Amino acid sequence: MGVLLLVRHGQASFGSDDYDVLSETGWEQGRVLGRWLATAGPEPASVVHGGMRRHRETWEAIAEGAAWGPGSPEPLVDEDWAEFDHLAVLARYAEATGAVVDHTTDRRAFQEQFEISTAHWYDAGPDGGYPEPYDAFVGRARAALDAAAARPGPTLVVTSGGVIAALAALLVVPEASVVGPVWARFNTVIANSSVTRVIVGATGARLLTFNEHPHLPRPLVTYR
C-alpha cells in the first residue's frame, strides 16, 4: 500500500506584484514542516511538485528544514499539480455577471469575492466560457494523483490548496453533482504547509487524513 503526502505550499505574497513568491512566513512554514517530517516521518522515496515558483520554494524550504542532503530524491516537476488560474476565474465571473471584482481589496473582502466567483465556476459546467472548466481542473488533478501514485513511495507532493481540496472532495464524495460545493468547503480551510495523506492500494486511492498541521505554532498558521 502506497502513501502520498500532499503538501500545500507555504504562504505566498498576497497583495504583492508577484503572488507566486513565498513570503518570509512561507519559507519558515516549509522549514518547520521539514524538521517535523525528519522527526515524525516518513522520509519520502519520491518527490513531486508543481511548476509554480511557490511549489519549488516550498520544497526547497522543506528539504532545508529536514536537512535532506544530496542523497534525497531529486524532485520531479509535474505541471498537472498547478493551481487553477484564480484570476481567470474572477475575470470570467465578472464578464458573465457584470460584477465588479476588485483585486485591491483586503483579504476578507477578496475571500468573499473568491468564493462567489468559484461557485459560479463549478456550477457553470464545461460550456461556461472558462479557459479551464472546473471538471477539467478536477480531471487534471486526478491524473496528477494517479501519476504520483505510480512512483516509488512514500511520495511527497508539493502543490496548492485548490488541487488538494479537489482530490479530497473527489475521494470522499461519489456524487459528481456535489463535488463542487464540497471542494469549496475544503478549499477555505487548508492551512499553508499542511499535509493531506492519501493511501493507494488494490481498491484505489483513499483519503486518510486532511489538512494536518500540528507542526505549526499558532503564529505560523495561515490560510492564504
Side-chain angles (χ1 to χ4, degrees):
M1 183 172 291
V3 178
L4 289 87
L5 284 73
L6 309 184
V7 175
R8 188 191 177 193
H9 62 77
Q11 184 190 62
S13 299
F14 180 87
S16 71
D17 291 338
D18 188 356
Y19 173 79
D20 201 26
V21 177
L22 286 193
S23 67
E24 286 303 316
T25 296
W27 277 99
E28 184 58 16
Q29 288 167 336
R31 288 188 286 262
V32 169
L33 174 58
R35 290 193 289 271
W36 182 69
L37 288 173
T39 301
E43 182 172 347
S46 300
V47 174
V48 182
H49 63 70
M52 293 175 160
R53 179 173 175 175
R54 59 188 182 271
H55 300 157
R56 172 177 55 81
E57 290 184 343
T58 299
W59 161 244
E60 291 171 355
I62 292 170
E64 177 187 337
W68 289 330
S72 62
E74 185 69 22
L76 171 73
V77 179
D78 183 347
E79 297 290 349
D80 279 348
W81 287 105
E83 183 65 289
F84 68 94
D85 186 343
H86 75 282
L87 294 178
V89 169
L90 291 168
R92 174 57 188 152
Y93 170 74
E95 179 185 39
T97 65
V100 176
V101 178
D102 182 1
H103 300 288
T104 66
T105 53
D106 63 25
R107 286 176 184 264
R108 180 169 294 182
F110 177 82
Q111 183 64 28
E112 182 177 351
Q113 292 179 350
F114 177 85
E115 291 180 23
I116 294 170
S117 298
T118 53
H120 186 273
W121 176 45
Y122 62 69
D123 281 339
D127 300 321
Y130 287 89
E132 183 179 40
Y134 177 76
D135 288 348
F137 164 65
V138 174
R140 170 167 65 80
R142 182 65 207 226
L145 180 72
D146 291 344
R151 298 182 62 79
T155 301
L156 187 148
V157 178
V158 182
T159 180
S160 292
V163 180
I164 296 171
L167 291 170
L170 194 65
L171 293 174
V172 300
V173 182
E175 299 85 1
S177 62
V178 294
V179 167
V182 173
W183 168 79
R185 292 297 186 103
F186 280 143
N187 194 41
T188 58
V189 298
I190 302 180
N192 293 113
S193 84
S194 64
V195 178
T196 292
R197 298 177 198 250
V198 174
I199 56 173
V200 182
T203 58
R206 297 193 179 192
L207 186 67
L208 181 63
T209 68
F210 174 71
N211 197 31
E212 298 177 56
H213 50 281
H215 53 286
L216 292 176
R218 186 174 296 276
L220 285 181
V221 178
T222 63
Y223 299 92
R224 281 286 176 266

